Amino acid sequence: MPDADTRRRLANLQSAVRLAAITLRATAAAADDGRPIDTAALRGAAADLDALATDPRKDTAPMTRVHTDEPQYAAHNGRISLRHADTEAKLPPNGATTWWADGTTSYVLNFRSGHVHGWTIADEADTVIQAVDSLRAGEEISGDRLWHALQDVRRLRTRLEAVEAELILYARENGTDGRPRMPLREIGENLGLHHTTVAERHGRLAAGEHAPWRHWLVQGTARADMYGGTGR
């Protein structure tokens, strides 16, 4: 079995190539349909490939993984989508949810933020849910599944930290009525923090001490240059 460093290099290379292929296909489809081209996604995929060409060990951020060792409860065809032994749903779909006779539940996520943002979070959340099911069922998690489960848990956590931090900033910005959208006490109640802790954290964020992956969240938006930047 390859050592940890080799496995990491291969996983990062595979992920970057996979994302580049997805991005190119999406770009071609958009061009065929006359829709706007997602130039941010193209630049992100190119940056990942450039980074890996320089250092294959580099841990690039917006990547979609291909797993070779799948959980027992469902066969997979690609990422996210499930292929079931029985093609009929146990119950009629209810909104975004479908219940299958083999015990699997499918939940459809909707996003417009493209492959770099919406797809990436959905992909990592899918991995985490599979890990939860496997751990609860006492199912063996081996090979690439364990490697990617640990990796995706970490990546999703860092993305969520960036989203939480940006929401704190957003909540304290003035809304349409000219007042902060949410008081510190309400922010603290939602985050399980004392309002003084929220105030201190907001102060650090506003001064430019951002979450490590803020760039991933706000790149290409009007927020990229706010609070000292980091979003280009």
Side-chain angles (χ1 to χ4, degrees):
M1 178 177 291
D3 59 32
D5 185 62
T6 300
R7 286 168 60 86
R8 175 174 178 146
R9 294 186 187 201
L10 290 174
N12 285 343
L13 180 60
Q14 183 184 49
S15 298
V17 172
R18 174 68 172 170
L19 177 61
I22 291 172
T23 303
L24 288 173
R25 283 197 294 269
T27 301
D32 291 341
D33 297 340
R35 292 181 282 111
I37 302 299
D38 189 350
T39 55
L42 286 172
R43 287 195 295 269
D48 274 356
L49 292 174
D50 286 342
L52 287 171
T54 303
D55 183 2
R57 294 167 297 181
K58 185 175 178 61
D59 189 12
T60 53
M63 301 193 296
T64 300
R65 278 139 312 278
V66 179
H67 297 179
T68 59
D69 183 12
E70 300 297 349
Q72 298 173 16
Y73 68 83
H76 279 57
N77 182 10
R79 300 296 296 122
I80 305 300
S81 60
L82 297 171
R83 183 181 70 249
H84 301 271
D86 52 353
T87 57
E88 296 296 326
K90 182 177 180 181
L91 296 172
N94 179 13
T97 308
T98 303
W99 292 270
W100 302 90
D102 65 357
T104 302
T105 301
S106 299
Y107 189 90
V108 178
L109 300 176
N110 301 290
F111 53 85
R112 296 181 178 178
S113 50
H115 291 86
V116 174
H117 300 94
W119 180 276
T120 303
I121 290 180
D123 185 51
E124 291 165 354
D126 183 55
T127 303
V128 174
I129 292 171
Q130 290 179 23
V132 169
D133 283 354
S134 295
L135 289 169
R136 289 182 55 81
E139 181 179 281
E140 180 69 18
I141 307 176
S142 60
D144 287 346
R145 277 197 66 216
L146 182 56
W147 176 269
H148 288 298
L150 291 168
Q151 190 176 66
D152 278 10
V153 166
R154 173 181 58 81
R155 286 175 171 162
L156 183 59
R157 181 175 64 249
T158 55
R159 294 185 206 282
L160 294 178
E161 289 172 352
V163 175
E164 179 182 279
E166 202 66 20
L167 284 173
I168 292 173
L169 290 171
Y170 179 82
R172 293 302 296 162
E173 293 167 8
N174 291 337
T176 55
D177 60 357
R179 301 169 59 185
R181 294 184 175 93
M182 187 176 290
L184 292 171
R185 290 185 182 277
E186 288 188 16
I187 299 174
E189 289 175 2
N190 285 295
L191 296 180
L193 300 172
H194 194 272
H195 68 91
T196 57
T197 302
V198 174
E200 292 172 359
R201 185 176 178 188
H202 177 268
R204 292 193 299 270
L205 292 171
E209 296 183 25
H210 297 299
W213 278 15
R214 182 177 190 255
H215 166 77
W216 164 83
L217 175 62
V218 300
Q219 59 182 318
T221 73
R223 301 190 65 82
D225 295 323
M226 297 173 63
Y227 305 106
T230 75
R232 289 189 177 279

